């Protein structure tokens, strides 16, 4: 007997969608590639890393529109569409609402393995959203890690380094948890909203060239210094911004700087979601909501 109110057609659609999601979920456990997706979350940041053979990590969860959460409206449907039913790791770059608000729904509604935070977030004033994240995680028995020193994970052949910055930071944006990943010959760097101070700290710690850069602080005038871009010398960069946002991010001076340095810049307000697929042989395939954006190699 059918559930009251549901037609045969809607039950059939539900079954077909479930089969599709489970099929995608199954396929991920056989996929040797590393896939990085920058979601189109308006003004904010959220990216998914799908490691080879099925492990997953979400970095930031975007913000919201008033009381509407990006987590509920964008991320959970997109994750299901990709066949991601579990997030093994959730990383918060810093507790600003355009990065953290959407995580509340994710932590409440999805299966999550561990949450990674920086100990420097605890510096006063301690934001309310951080307390909410910790409260939900504890109530759902999700392990929380507070990092005070860099921490390296090896996830299915991918070297993953979490670096808490900002012991002397004056800007709260520079009290950040950054993520660097290395797979085959490819490196990617996720920078949260760091500004000049954080960029300088990064350059003094390491200046290994990266293939892909998450543009710091949505392309603001206070970030993407020449010294930082020269040190890391990315080939691709992705800036996550809202269409016609009130901050005027990314700033035209910064766009000009990326162009002058020959860095391919993709922006979520124009291209929509951006996905880079990295093969074990070092091939990088780029696609956006608008279509293919090229192929390159990590050398
Ligand atoms: Zn931000």
């Amino acid at each position: 007997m059918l559930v009251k109110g549901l037609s045969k057609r809607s039950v059939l659609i539900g079954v077909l969608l479930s089969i599709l999601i489970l099929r995608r979920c199954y396929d991920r456990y056989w996929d040797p590639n590393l896939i990085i997706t920058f979601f189109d979350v308006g003004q904010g940041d959220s990216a998914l890393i799908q490691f080879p053979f099925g492990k997953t990590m979400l970095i930031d969860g975007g913000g919201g529109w008033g009381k509407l959460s990006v987590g509920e409206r964008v991320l959970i449907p997109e994750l299901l569409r990709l066949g991601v039913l579990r997030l093994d790791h959730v990383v918060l770059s810093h507790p600003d609402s355009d990065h953290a608000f959407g995580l509340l729904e994710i932590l409440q509604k999805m299966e999550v393995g561990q949450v990674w935070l920086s100990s420097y977030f605890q510096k006063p004033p301690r934001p309310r959203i951080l307390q909410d994240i910790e409260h939900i995680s504890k109530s759902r028995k999700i392990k929380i890690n507070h990092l005070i020193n860099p921490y390296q994970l090896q996830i299915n052949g991918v070297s993953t380094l979490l670096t808490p910055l900002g012991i002397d930071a004056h800007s709260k944006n520079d009290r950040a948890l950054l993520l660097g990943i290395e797979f085959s010959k490819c490196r990617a760097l996720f920078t949260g909203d760091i500004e000049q101070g954080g960029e300088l700290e990064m350059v003094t710690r390491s200046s290994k060239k990266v293939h892909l850069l998450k543009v710091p602080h949505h392309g603001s005038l206070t970030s993407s210094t020449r010294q930082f871009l020269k040190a890391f010398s990315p080939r691709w960069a992705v800036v996550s911004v809202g269409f016609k946002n009130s901050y005027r991010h990314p700033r035209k001076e910064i766009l000009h700087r990326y162009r002058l340095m020959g860095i391919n810049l993709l922006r979520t307000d124009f291209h929509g979601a951006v996905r880079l697929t990295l093969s074990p042989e070092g091939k990088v395939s780029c696609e956006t909501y608008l279509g293919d954006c090229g192929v390159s190699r990590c050398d």
Side-chain angles (χ1 to χ4, degrees):
M1 192 176 77
L2 288 177
V3 178
K4 195 178 175 187
L6 288 180
S7 67
K8 270 186 186 172
R9 190 159 174 256
S10 50
V11 170
L12 185 65
I13 290 171
V15 169
L16 288 174
L17 278 174
S18 302
I19 291 170
L20 189 67
I21 289 168
L22 289 172
R23 175 66 203 264
R24 287 204 169 152
C25 181
Y26 177 81
D27 287 348
R28 281 295 306 147
Y29 287 91
W30 298 97
D31 191 342
N33 295 318
L34 176 81
I35 304 171
I36 301 172
T37 305
F38 294 86
F39 295 113
D40 180 7
V41 292
Q43 186 69 12
D45 268 6
S46 184
L48 173 75
I49 301 176
Q50 292 170 276
F51 292 92
F53 310 114
K55 296 274 184 197
T56 54
M57 176 182 277
L58 185 73
I59 309 150
D60 291 336
W65 304 278
K67 287 188 176 174
L68 296 180
S69 158
V70 159
E72 185 180 13
R73 295 295 168 127
V74 179
L75 296 182
I76 292 177
E78 275 299 296
L79 290 168
L80 289 180
R81 199 179 61 76
L82 294 169
V84 175
L85 304 178
R86 172 189 159 86
L87 292 164
D88 297 286
H89 304 273
V90 167
V91 177
L92 177 63
S93 71
H94 65 297
D96 272 359
S97 70
D98 60 323
H99 298 247
F101 185 62
L103 288 183
L104 300 179
E105 290 286 336
I106 294 283
L107 293 169
Q108 273 165 346
K109 294 185 176 163
M110 287 200 67
E111 190 186 337
V112 173
Q114 307 187 51
V115 172
W116 297 87
L117 305 171
S118 165
S119 292
Y120 299 123
F121 299 165
Q122 307 291 349
K123 264 190 167 181
R126 194 163 171 263
R128 173 66 200 265
I129 203 155
L130 194 60
Q131 297 172 37
D132 292 342
I133 285 174
E134 290 175 342
H135 175 73
I136 297 167
S137 301
K138 278 177 192 158
S139 69
R140 295 204 63 209
K141 296 189 171 34
I142 298 167
K143 188 181 176 196
I144 308 175
N145 303 281
H146 291 96
L147 295 181
I148 197 157
N149 291 310
Y151 190 84
Q152 184 136 30
L153 293 161
Q154 285 291 337
I155 305 173
N156 294 353
V158 182
S159 169
T160 308
L161 182 66
L162 289 156
T163 305
L165 289 188
I167 189 164
D168 297 319
H170 297 296
S171 152
K172 65 179 171 49
N173 285 339
D174 287 335
R175 289 196 283 273
L177 183 56
L178 305 193
L179 175 73
I181 58 174
E182 195 168 341
F183 175 59
S184 182
K185 293 176 185 165
C186 301
R187 288 194 197 89
L189 183 61
F190 296 82
T191 55
D193 279 357
I194 57 168
E195 300 179 275
Q196 291 167 9
E199 291 186 354
L200 186 61
E201 192 177 337
M202 281 302 291
V203 171
T204 53
R205 282 170 183 258
S206 160
S207 53
K208 281 185 180 173
K209 304 264 181 278
V210 301
H211 202 80
L212 169 67
L213 175 73
K214 201 291 291 179
V215 172
H217 199 200
H218 317 286
S220 79
L221 282 176
T222 54
S223 305
S224 300
T225 57
R226 280 188 190 81
Q227 185 186 10
F228 177 76
L229 294 182
K230 209 171 160 194
F232 289 101
S233 189
R235 189 174 300 175
W236 298 91
V238 179
V239 59
S240 186
V241 279
F243 182 65
K244 290 192 173 173
N245 64 83
S246 57
Y247 307 97
R248 292 189 288 142
H249 290 157
R251 299 300 290 251
K252 65 177 188 311
E253 297 88 336
I254 299 298
L255 292 178
H256 186 60
R257 190 172 297 163
Y258 278 83
R259 205 175 305 124
L260 273 185
M261 296 181 89
I263 302 163
N264 295 316
L265 187 77
L266 299 158
R267 44 193 292 180
T268 57
D269 60 338
F270 178 72
H271 297 96
V274 177
R275 176 168 305 140
L276 290 118
T277 303
L278 286 63
S279 79
E281 296 79 31
K283 181 180 162 194
V284 183
S285 309
C286 172
E287 57 182 318
T288 73
Y289 183 76
L290 296 181
D292 286 352
C293 40
V295 174
S296 65
R297 292 197 71 82
C298 300
D299 298 317

